[in-house]
Amino acid sequence: MTFDDAFTKLVIHEGGYSDHKADTGGKTMYGITEAVARASGYTGDMRELSQDAAKLIYLTQYWDKVQADALPAKVRYAVFDAAVNSGPGQSARWLQRALGVADDGRIGQITIAYARHSDPEELVKKMLAQRLRFMTNLTAWSSFSRGWARRIADLLEA
């Protein structure tokens, strides 16, 4: 999967503007939180964040941070999607735990090598199990569980 394919798929789940009271991320556009947008240099109203600006943020702050291009094609989207939802460090830890390597939250050469020598379908399943377990312990689970569970189910079916 390429970044362009991943972004197209991601935006379907993330949608447009949101300011849900239970979302600790506050105002978001295309799933980009205001804090991430500001840290990336965006100064405008969140409702006006362009899809091109969101795409660039997703590339530099999520896709590149988890070294998605170095991972097996069938694993890339699951790692990227997890990074978007819970941060690149958390996504890396889930991947590393699924691989049985040290979970330092940074995808480096060891994680990439183990991922390349793993069964991609099994790896994604194990990673998603880590992710789901983590999410059920979040205080926002009661507000967002249906959407999160559907998203993980979609990843399992892909």
Side-chain angles (χ1 to χ4, degrees):
M1 171 171 284
T2 67
F3 170 72
D4 286 336
D5 295 335
F7 178 75
T8 299
K9 189 174 181 176
L10 181 77
V11 171
I12 292 168
H13 284 287
E14 291 295 345
Y17 179 78
S18 176
D19 189 11
H20 194 285
K21 63 180 176 144
D23 188 349
T24 58
K27 297 176 186 175
T28 65
M29 183 63 164
Y30 304 116
I32 301 290
T33 65
E34 188 169 23
V36 169
R38 300 286 181 245
S40 299
Y42 182 72
T43 59
D45 185 297
M46 284 305 292
R47 286 184 179 93
E48 303 300 319
L49 181 73
S50 71
Q51 195 171 65
D52 286 342
K55 187 174 185 178
L56 181 60
I57 292 169
Y58 277 127
L59 175 65
T60 60
Q61 299 301 313
Y62 299 93
W63 185 266
D64 289 346
K65 291 246 171 120
V66 296
Q67 297 199 48
D69 285 324
L71 296 171
K74 292 183 177 182
V75 176
R76 289 175 188 161
Y77 187 74
V79 174
F80 172 62
D81 186 69
V84 168
N85 268 172
S86 298
Q90 187 60 59
S91 177
R93 283 187 283 281
W94 291 328
L95 175 63
Q96 291 165 331
R97 290 173 193 155
L99 288 166
V101 300
D103 60 342
D104 64 3
R106 291 186 343 254
I107 296 176
Q109 294 304 324
I110 293 171
T111 303
I112 291 167
Y114 273 74
R116 287 181 179 169
H117 290 97
S118 296
D119 177 297
E121 287 86 13
E122 282 301 310
L123 180 55
V124 168
K125 286 179 193 175
K126 288 179 180 179
M127 185 184 163
L128 292 175
Q130 293 285 330
R131 182 176 174 183
L132 187 56
R133 243 182 239 106
F134 174 89
M135 295 173 94
T136 61
N137 289 318
L138 297 174
T139 56
W141 178 255
S142 61
S143 297
F144 299 110
S145 59
R146 285 189 197 147
W148 290 342
R150 278 190 212 111
R151 195 164 178 161
I152 290 171
D154 288 349
L155 285 162
L156 287 168
E157 288 181 335

